[in-house]
Amino acid sequence: MREINKREKIQSFILENSEINPNIFRMIVSSNRMESEAIPGQFVNLYCKEGSRLLPRPISICDIDKTNNTLTLVYGVVGKGTKEFSNLKPGEYIDILGPLGNGYIIDKDIDKHILVGGGIGIPPLIELAKNLNGEKYVYLGFRSDIYLVSEFERIGAKVYIATDDGSYGTKGTVVDLLMKTNVDGGMVYSCGPKPMLKAVSDWAKEKGIKAQLSMEERMGCGIGTCVGCVCKIKKEDSWEYKRVCKDGPVFWSEEIVWNE
């Protein structure tokens, strides 16, 4: 199998595209190529068929099935592009570019892991959890309705849930819940909105645990060309811009400049 050209769209067959929660969809696709190279924490670009929507939509990879050559993508409907995706049917094709970006670093010597996800940052933690050995403590934050919880439990993770309205689990934020349980471990992995990532970073620093954070930024090209998704990364006594799409999306928490 030849190496994937990261700038070549791959026409992928849609096996499933179903709503698993209000405005949250699960799409399973087969490209017979991307699955072999994808790693936890990477994402793909999905392209609309409507010509007026030129820019791709970056969607994180939720699950990689190398046996059946499929990728599972769980996405939220937040605009016209993702609304178009939600109307696609099994049997149709969609253009995909990827896998893109750098994923999580997995240290095989660590035997206790803490995963923290919020909102649509939860799906990529599924594939990560599958690839971690040892104990896995998963903290999930939702606004109201929950999803993907059983998938984490089937992996063997101990799952803690927080919802904004208290309809499931603990009422409040996932970081509040994280602090209440006083969990400890060898590595923290997180994905979600920036305020949550900042709070997770602060918590991990206080506990003396290294943390890898997947940054969410608005992206244009997804391959580092347009420089539209930069974030500030520490550099000795200064800082520099790094592209979230190409240099990330996963960064070490101590690298990130939060307060500017």
Side-chain angles (χ1 to χ4, degrees):
M1 184 178 295
R2 68 183 173 87
E3 185 177 351
I4 292 175
N5 179 346
K6 294 297 178 62
R7 299 194 176 196
E8 177 189 353
K9 300 175 192 173
I10 299 175
Q11 198 174 53
S12 301
F13 186 73
I14 299 174
L15 296 166
E16 177 187 330
N17 191 31
S18 57
E19 189 172 29
I20 60 172
N21 221 31
N23 287 321
I24 302 292
F25 284 73
R26 173 170 53 219
M27 180 186 291
I28 301 177
V29 298
S30 177
S31 72
N32 287 320
R33 289 172 60 187
M34 286 185 290
E35 301 83 5
S36 62
E37 294 191 14
I39 62 173
Q42 288 189 300
F43 66 96
V44 295
N45 272 350
L46 268 59
Y47 290 82
C48 296
K49 295 181 180 179
E50 166 56 48
S52 63
R53 294 190 272 276
L54 295 177
L55 291 177
R57 271 59 175 176
I59 306 292
S60 61
I61 297 172
C62 174
D63 185 86
I64 305 165
D65 186 339
K66 295 185 178 181
T67 301
N68 295 306
N69 294 321
T70 63
L71 291 180
T72 298
L73 313 170
V74 174
Y75 62 95
V77 176
V78 294
K80 293 180 179 178
T82 47
K83 180 63 178 176
E84 179 185 318
F85 299 153
S86 72
N87 291 323
L88 296 174
K89 305 298 181 188
E92 295 188 66
Y93 286 87
I94 185 169
D95 285 339
I96 299 180
L97 184 71
L100 301 172
N102 298 300
Y104 294 99
I105 296 170
I106 295 176
D107 185 340
K108 297 292 185 184
D109 293 330
I110 294 175
D111 59 4
K112 192 173 181 180
H113 312 271
I114 303 166
L115 289 70
V116 186
I120 204 63
I122 289 170
L125 298 181
I126 290 282
E127 182 60 31
L128 173 65
K130 283 171 55 185
N131 284 269
L132 297 174
N133 296 322
E135 299 176 75
K136 288 162 276 199
Y137 295 84
V138 177
Y139 292 80
L140 305 177
F142 303 90
R143 287 184 177 176
S144 179
D145 296 328
I146 64 174
Y147 60 95
L148 297 180
V149 173
S150 60
E151 282 83 347
F152 282 106
E153 292 173 337
R154 280 199 294 271
I155 295 167
K158 186 170 178 57
V159 181
Y160 299 86
I161 299 171
T163 51
D164 291 346
D165 61 5
S167 53
Y168 293 91
T170 300
K171 184 176 182 179
T173 72
V174 70
V175 178
D176 292 337
L177 179 58
L178 183 66
M179 293 176 177
K180 283 180 183 177
T181 56
N182 197 31
V183 67
D184 204 351
M187 184 71 74
V188 175
Y189 318 80
S190 189
C191 186
K194 188 176 284 186
M196 187 204 82
L197 294 180
K198 170 67 166 55
V200 171
S201 176
D202 291 343
W203 177 84
K205 182 178 181 180
E206 186 176 326
K207 298 278 286 186
I209 308 173
K210 292 182 71 66
Q212 300 179 52
L213 310 179
S214 182
M215 301 293 287
E216 291 184 343
E217 295 288 342
R218 294 182 67 86
M219 295 181 187
C221 67
I223 55 176
T225 302
C226 73
V227 200
C229 61
V230 294
C231 65
K232 289 183 176 179
I233 296 296
K234 293 175 185 173
K235 179 184 177 184
E236 297 181 354
D237 296 329
S238 183
W239 57 267
E240 62 183 336
Y241 283 121
K242 289 284 189 180
R243 298 160 294 185
V244 171
C245 68
K246 188 174 180 63
D247 302 312
V250 179
F251 295 95
W252 292 103
S253 61
E254 64 265 28
E255 293 182 301
I256 301 167
V257 179
W258 296 102
N259 57 352
E260 296 183 56

